[in-house]
């Protein structure tokens, strides 16, 4: 095999030398004898390991997916970098963590012009095709052929977007249609002379779990409930209780539970949503659907009306409705895998084709009482990863090597003989695959995980962390809490032992690993846009600021944190005297750090305003909350300046040196702010950005901070605001205000 790869490289070099690879479509001649392996990547949406036979499922069977494991390898420690759809896909395409590929949360738009593996495969003569769910907001880049579902897509009679931008509706069941298109591409459309990558990406088993009629009869028997279905969330952060993804309280009457008409039991089911799938069905599909669901639904409604069911029994009923539908949608995915494997056999392609099955993240099948994903707990952190590579991976291999979705791109590139770009953070799995799943000695000891979708559907808080083979450390910025799990002693993750004195060495070591891994992966929270919309007052202030900004007509914008917001408090009188008549806006939000200002400026706080002058005072909370590295905070401030330049290039910015804090000149926070100031002073360009350090206006001769100016050694008194205004005024005049 090694020899073969060397040969492939030889052909490749030859092709490059002959200049026939200069265009992505070049190389037809050279590749007539190309023996580099093909890649078929079958990727589903939300498929939990607990529902795959090869991973030991107790609740269903997946004979075709299991065949991949039997003839190849199953990876039991395969992890997601950010357990949510778009972000996981962006990590795969770029080989980078979310904070660097820019796709932090669903709803972002993927920048397809950054480095991704598909165009690199094209550049060495691979044909690339993508079919099915995409969900990245922009058109796919680097594919010779694609046809994708818009957004989440539908199960029944789904629409597809084609390469020319046209939308077409295809009659049938989504999983089958995507498979048909994939096989059709393999059979009819691809250039038979070239090696290829085919990405066949299913919608199933994503919510709202709408099965094909042929699978209604599966799972007539009840499915066993998971041990933690009735988790009370004790022993862990109180944030667990705030989320909205429980089977008990957050299942929709129509959308999830498949009832028609008005929600009859609003205490037990969430009202919102008709079943959108039903609305798309043709009469036959509707008839089959109703024939299956209606008898069960009517029986349930009757029992409810008769008051026969306890809360616990209602929960069990919902679990059965949920899990059976979920598993039925997987039955179709498993058939799809079977059809693709059969096609590879029939066509003679199987021998030289690497076949991978994976899904964008794991999922809760009632564990912790949940559906959905997002959390760094095992069920959603893990991704299935099964691979068959004939002649390379020994059949029946089980690997516990820690792999992550940022590794997929580098793997595909090495397979095709492309050097992995240094900017990719993942590592190629080829050496692991060649060694029967055993990791090289310098393999990673831990993975880094980060989830960013704050204040969104299901209310899971931002968190990140590290997982080693035995332990998991998680950090929640919202509550500044650490959580530590010993996966050996507590595999169900029911008790955080972060405050157990016996664990202090482990905790200390993992915190160090966490800090170092964040450095290694270049995670700087100060530059990662973050909303605090989970706080009602913040959300309302943000909406009000955006409303005001939409009206335009602002000459002077103050941007910052509580010190700026305080112009409406202790500084009110001074504001009235100095700024009220100068078309001002106050964009100061108490408790904001640089990342929150970045979020606000990118999400509407600057809408239609093009101020003559913006006064920026930010960074002291990065110090106060996190004692954040001054370079990191400065990078956050630099990003804010960039956004101002992008959105309002004519605006002159007064960049204040971070104000002094702490009574004494040796207060660590004061010193941190000082260090930030040293760096940001250089952001002044003498034209657009003007640096103004007015710290001395607040200090005594001995550099102490008097209570009369900063009563709490952080916020300004009225006299403090007066001194701020006095020190700022000459600059405002100079800038023409
Ligand atoms: C939809 C679902 C959510 C799900 C997200 C993200 N709601 O919003 O339950 O968490 O997608 O899923 S639904 O009412 O539309 O079904 S992801 O896989 O795309 O990330
Ligand atoms: Ca998903």
């Amino acid at each position: 095999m090694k020899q073969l790869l060397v040969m492939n490289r030889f052909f490749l070099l030859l092709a490059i030398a002959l200049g026939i690879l200069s265009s992505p479509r070049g190389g037809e001649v050279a590749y007539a004898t190309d023996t580099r392996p093909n890649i078929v990547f079958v990727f589903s949406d939300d498929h939990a390991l607990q529902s795959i036979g090869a991973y030991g499922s107790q609740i269903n069977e997946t004979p075709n997916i299991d065949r991949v494991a039997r003839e190849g390898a199953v990876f039991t420690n395969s992890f997601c970098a950010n357990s949510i759809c778009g972000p996981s896909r962006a990590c795969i395409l770029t080989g980078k963590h979310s904070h660097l590929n820019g796709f932090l949360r669903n709803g972002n738009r993927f920048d397809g012009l950054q480095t991704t593996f598909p165009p690199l495969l094209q550049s060495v003569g691979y044909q690339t095709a993508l079919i099915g769910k995409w969900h990245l907001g922009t058109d796919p880049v680097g594919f010779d052929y694609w046809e994708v579902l818009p957004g989440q897509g539908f199960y029944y009679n789904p629409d597809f977007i084609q390469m020319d931008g046209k939308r077409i509706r295809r009659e049938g069941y989504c999983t089958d249609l995507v498979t048909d298109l994939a096989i059709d591409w393999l059979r009819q459309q691809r250039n038979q002379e070239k090696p290829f990558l085919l990405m066949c990406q299913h919608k199933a088993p994503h919510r709202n779990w709408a099965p094909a009629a042929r699978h209604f009869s599966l799972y007539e028997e009840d499915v066993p409930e998971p041990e933690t279905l009735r988790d009370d969330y004790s022993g862990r952060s109180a944030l667990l209780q705030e989320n909205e993804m429980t089977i008990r309280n957050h299942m929709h009457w129509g959308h999830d539970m498949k009832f028609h008409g008005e929600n009859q039991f609003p205490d037990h089911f969430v009202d919102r949503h008709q079943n959108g799938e039903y609305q798309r069905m043709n009469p036959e599909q509707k008839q089959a659907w109703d024939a299956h669901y209606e008898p069960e639904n009517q029986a349930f409604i009757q029992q409810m009306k008769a008051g026969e069911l306890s809360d616990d029994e209602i929960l069990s009923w919902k679990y059965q409705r949920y899990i059976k539908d979920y598993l039925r949608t997987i039955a179709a995915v498993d058939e799809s895998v079977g059809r693709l494997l059969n096609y590879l056999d029939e066509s003679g392609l199987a021998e030289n084709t690497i076949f991978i099955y994976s899904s964008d993240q794991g999922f809760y099948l009632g564990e912790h009482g949940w559906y959905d994903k997002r959390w760094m707990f095992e069920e959603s952190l893990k991704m299935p990863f099964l691979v068959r590579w004939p002649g390379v991976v020994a059949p029946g291999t089980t690997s516990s090597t820690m792999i992550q979705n940022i590794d997929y791109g580098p793997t595909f590139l090495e397979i095709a003989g492309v050097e992995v770009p240094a900017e990719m953070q993942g590592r190629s799995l080829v050496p692991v695959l060649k060694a029967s799943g055993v990791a090289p000695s310098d393999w990673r000891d831990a993975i880094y995980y980060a989830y960013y979708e704050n204040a969104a559907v299901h209310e899971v808080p931002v968190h990140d962390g590290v997982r080693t083979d035995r332990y998991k450390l998680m950090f929640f910025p919202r509550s500044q809490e650490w959580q530590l799990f010993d996966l050996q002693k507590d595999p169900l993750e029911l008790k955080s032992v972060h405050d157990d004195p016996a664990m202090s060495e482990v905790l200390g070591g993992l915190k160090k690993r966490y800090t170092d891994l964040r450095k290694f992966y270049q995670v700087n929270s100060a530059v990662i846009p973050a909303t605090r919309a989970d706080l009602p007052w913040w959300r309302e202030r943000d909406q009000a600021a955006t409303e005001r900004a939409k009206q335009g007509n602002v000459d002077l914008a103050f941007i910052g944190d509580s010190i700026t917001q305080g112009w409406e408090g202790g500084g009110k009188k001074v504001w009235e005297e100095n700024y009220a008549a100068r078309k001002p806006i106050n964009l100061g939000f108490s408790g904001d750090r640089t990342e929150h200002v970045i979020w606000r400026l990118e999400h509407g706080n600057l809408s239609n305003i093009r101020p003559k002058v913006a006064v920026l005072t930010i960074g002291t909370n990065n110090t106060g909350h996190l004692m954040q590295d001054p370079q990191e905070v400065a990078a956050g401030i630099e990003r804010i300046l960039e956004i101002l330049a992008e959105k309002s290039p004519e605006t002159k910015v007064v960049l204040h040196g971070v104000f002094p804090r702490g009574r004494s000149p040796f207060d660590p926070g004061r010193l941190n702010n000082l260090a930030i100031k040293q760096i940001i002073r250089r952001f002044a360009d003498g034209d657009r950005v003007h640096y103004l350090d007015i710290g001395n206006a607040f200090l005594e001769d001995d550099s102490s901070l008097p209570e009369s100016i900063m009563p709490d050694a952080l916020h300004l008194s009225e006299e403090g605001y007066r001194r701020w205004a006095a020190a700022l005024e000459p600059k405002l005049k100079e800038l023409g205000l």
Side-chain angles (χ1 to χ4, degrees):
M1 192 62 214
K2 195 165 177 198
Q3 227 173 6
L4 207 83
L5 278 181
V6 173
M7 289 276 283
N8 288 336
R9 291 232 173 77
F10 171 76
F11 281 124
L12 186 66
L13 289 175
L14 190 75
I16 290 168
L18 294 173
I20 50 185
L21 278 182
S22 50
S23 88
R25 288 180 184 275
E28 250 104 281
V29 188
Y31 292 116
T33 49
D34 199 324
T35 53
R36 286 174 298 169
N38 311 304
I39 304 166
V40 172
F41 180 69
V42 183
F43 193 62
S44 56
D45 194 356
D46 293 358
H47 193 173
L49 275 64
Q50 312 89 284
S51 53
I52 296 179
Y55 283 100
S57 169
Q58 304 290 314
I59 57 177
N60 69 332
E61 286 173 6
T62 49
N64 294 298
I65 297 173
D66 298 355
R67 182 181 159 198
V68 182
R70 218 172 39 246
E71 296 174 3
V74 55
F75 282 77
T76 55
N77 280 318
S78 154
F79 302 106
C80 196
N82 181 352
S83 175
I84 183 81
C85 184
S88 173
R89 288 154 205 263
C91 290
I92 290 174
L93 287 166
T94 60
K96 289 179 184 167
H97 280 280
S98 309
H99 63 282
L100 293 190
N101 68 43
F103 202 102
L104 295 162
R105 45 191 288 154
N106 279 345
N108 284 154
R109 289 170 64 76
F110 184 65
D111 167 15
L113 297 179
Q114 63 185 307
T115 305
T116 60
F117 71 80
L120 288 169
L121 290 184
Q122 286 180 318
S123 75
V124 296
Y126 268 65
Q127 269 224 307
T128 56
L130 161 75
I131 294 151
K133 180 153 172 190
W134 174 245
H135 206 206
L136 289 169
T138 51
D139 282 353
V141 172
F143 293 93
D144 296 297
Y145 173 78
W146 58 264
E147 180 157 341
V148 297
L149 302 167
Q152 295 284 9
F154 281 95
Y155 282 97
Y156 274 82
N157 312 327
D159 292 342
F160 285 85
I161 306 175
Q162 300 185 311
M163 292 176 78
D164 58 6
K166 271 205 204 101
R167 260 188 195 227
I168 59 156
R169 182 168 294 203
R170 292 183 182 276
E171 191 84 358
Y173 188 66
C174 190
T175 309
D176 303 341
L177 293 168
V178 167
T179 313
D180 294 343
L181 288 169
I183 292 178
D184 183 62
W185 184 78
L186 287 173
R187 200 196 299 270
Q188 319 261 15
Q189 300 200 43
R190 73 190 170 90
N191 176 342
Q192 309 275 335
E193 320 252 280
K194 286 184 172 189
F196 63 83
L197 162 83
L198 166 66
M199 300 174 77
C200 172
Q201 310 204 145
H202 291 298
K203 173 192 172 59
H206 190 273
R207 195 180 181 191
N208 68 345
W209 319 296
R214 67 181 182 278
H215 295 130
F216 287 150
S217 59
L218 291 175
Y219 310 107
E220 271 169 3
E221 299 281 299
D222 274 0
V223 179
E225 293 180 357
E227 226 174 302
T228 58
L229 180 62
R230 291 168 173 81
D231 193 343
D232 65 2
Y233 309 122
S234 60
R236 284 145 295 169
S237 164
L239 290 170
L240 266 71
Q241 292 175 24
E242 280 178 28
N243 71 87
E244 298 181 353
M245 49 191 268
T246 63
I247 296 173
R248 193 186 284 279
N249 296 320
H250 304 105
M251 282 296 191
H252 292 284
W253 175 255
H255 180 64
D256 298 316
M257 297 282 99
K258 281 93 180 185
F259 290 101
H260 291 307
E262 280 301 292
N263 179 2
Q264 302 193 36
F265 310 106
D267 290 349
H268 299 279
F269 298 88
V270 187
D271 241 337
R272 203 172 57 90
H273 283 347
Q274 306 275 312
N275 179 3
E277 293 290 347
Y278 189 77
Q279 268 128 42
R280 302 178 68 85
M281 291 177 197
N282 62 35
E284 294 94 289
Q285 290 167 334
K286 280 186 175 159
Q287 202 184 15
W289 184 270
D290 286 335
H292 167 67
Y293 287 101
E294 275 313 292
E296 280 181 17
N297 289 356
Q298 293 312 323
F300 175 78
I301 288 169
Q302 254 178 21
Q303 281 187 296
M304 287 292 281
K305 284 191 170 152
E308 285 169 13
L309 298 178
S310 68
D311 281 1
D312 246 22
E313 286 166 331
I314 298 169
L315 171 62
S316 292
W317 191 91
K318 287 181 194 170
Y319 169 74
Q320 294 301 333
R321 172 56 54 96
Y322 158 54
I323 196 69
K324 288 177 181 177
D325 281 350
Y326 178 88
L327 296 176
R328 286 166 182 145
T329 68
I330 288 170
V333 174
D334 191 64
E335 289 172 359
S336 161
V337 170
R339 287 180 60 199
L340 286 160
L341 289 173
N342 286 344
Y343 177 74
L344 294 179
D345 286 340
E346 284 159 24
S347 60
L349 283 166
E351 260 319 281
N352 197 34
T353 298
I354 300 170
F355 190 100
I356 294 171
Y357 182 77
S358 179
S359 183
D360 60 350
Q361 2 75 203
F363 212 68
Y364 296 94
L365 305 184
E367 296 87 0
H368 305 296
W370 291 333
Y371 62 95
D372 215 65
K373 49 261 180 177
R374 302 160 192 268
W375 295 95
M376 200 191 162
F377 295 111
E378 292 293 274
E379 292 81 358
S380 52
L381 175 64
K382 285 197 169 170
M383 294 165 74
F385 192 84
L386 303 103
V387 49
R388 184 182 77 172
W389 189 352
V392 175
V393 174
T397 298
T398 298
S399 172
S400 59
T401 296
M402 275 196 272
I403 67 168
Q404 203 166 18
N405 53 353
I406 53 171
D407 300 334
Y408 299 7
T411 306
F412 298 157
L413 292 174
E414 186 173 348
I415 288 167
V418 186
E419 202 184 322
V420 179
E423 67 188 278
M424 288 194 174
Q425 298 183 313
R427 279 181 69 168
S428 164
L429 302 174
V430 170
V432 181
L433 296 172
K434 287 186 172 168
S436 302
V438 178
S441 57
D442 62 353
W443 198 251
R444 64 168 70 88
D445 65 302
I447 57 114
Y448 174 71
Y449 174 87
Y451 171 78
Y452 295 101
E453 204 170 308
N454 200 24
V457 57
H458 301 306
E459 296 294 345
V460 176
V462 170
H463 60 289
D464 68 352
V466 298
R467 187 201 188 279
T468 67
D469 56 354
R470 173 156 180 190
Y471 296 104
K472 186 182 291 177
L473 180 73
M474 296 160 69
F475 180 68
F476 294 91
R478 195 190 291 179
S479 55
Q480 302 271 305
E481 273 172 299
W482 295 98
Q483 300 276 285
L484 173 63
F485 298 93
D486 180 341
L487 300 170
Q488 213 171 69
K489 289 192 180 149
D490 178 23
L492 300 180
E493 299 170 291
L494 295 174
K495 183 169 171 42
S496 171
V497 290
H498 62 282
D499 54 2
D500 178 348
M503 296 302 288
S504 66
E505 192 190 350
V506 174
L507 180 67
L510 285 174
K511 280 188 183 172
K512 164 106 178 101
R513 234 22 229 113
Y514 170 84
T515 309
D516 290 343
L517 273 180
R518 282 171 52 107
K519 284 230 168 77
F520 177 69
Y521 287 122
Q522 302 163 39
V523 184
N524 173 10
S525 62
V527 300
I528 303 174
T531 170
R532 293 168 68 212
D534 50 287
L535 299 170
W537 76 262
W538 192 96
R539 188 170 62 236
E540 280 154 30
R541 186 171 173 83
D542 178 49
Q543 280 163 0
T546 293
E547 277 316 306
R548 172 65 194 86
K550 281 187 186 154
Q551 290 157 27
N553 197 25
V554 164
D555 282 346
L556 175 61
F558 280 83
I559 302 171
D561 47 40
S562 56
I563 302 177
T564 296
Q565 187 172 354
W567 284 115
E568 294 165 11
K572 198 160 187 226
K573 228 169 118 203
V574 187
W575 176 276
E576 294 298 331
E577 290 163 17
N578 288 274
Y579 309 124
R582 294 160 104 172
K583 299 187 185 168
I585 188 170
N586 185 333
L587 297 175
F589 283 50
S590 181
D592 269 14
R593 301 189 293 269
T594 49
E595 59 265 41
H596 307 120
V597 172
I598 292 171
W599 169 278
R600 289 195 279 113
L601 299 188
E602 284 182 342
H603 289 81
N605 278 197
L606 288 176
S607 299
N608 290 326
I609 58 173
R610 302 291 172 261
K612 287 185 186 149
V613 179
V615 180
L616 177 62
T617 319
I618 193 69
T620 199
N621 288 324
N622 297 69
T623 292
H625 301 166
L626 307 166
M627 195 54 84
Q628 193 160 14
D629 180 278
Q631 291 285 359
E632 291 187 5
V633 186
I637 294 171
E638 196 171 19
R639 179 73 197 120
I640 296 172
L641 294 173
E642 273 171 27
I643 296 170
L644 285 165
E646 282 159 23
K647 301 229 180 243
S648 186
E650 303 298 315
T651 297
K652 304 286 184 192
V653 183
V654 178
L655 172 61
H656 275 311
V658 193
F659 288 1
R661 59 184 295 156
R663 291 271 163 253
S664 130
F666 294 104
D667 176 274
R670 174 95 68 97
L671 292 171
N672 208 59
N673 282 358
L674 195 76
I676 299 168
K677 290 204 292 184
Q678 277 188 308
I679 307 168
I680 65 172
R681 185 176 61 82
R682 301 187 174 190
F683 298 158
D685 59 11
D687 173 25
R688 190 179 72 87
V689 180
H690 298 252
Y691 182 72
L692 185 60
D693 186 343
I694 61 170
N696 286 340
F698 307 126
L699 297 172
E700 302 281 26
D701 287 347
D702 65 356
S703 290
S704 65
L705 255 181
E707 269 187 47
S708 57
I709 303 298
M710 282 197 190
D712 61 354
L714 179 61
H715 297 97
L716 297 170
S717 64
E718 183 174 317
E719 175 56 18
Y721 281 103
R722 208 164 281 290
R723 290 190 187 186
W724 182 358
L728 176 61
E729 191 54 33
K731 189 48 107 181
L732 294 183
K733 292 250 159 61
E734 178 194 322
L735 297 176
L737 202 80

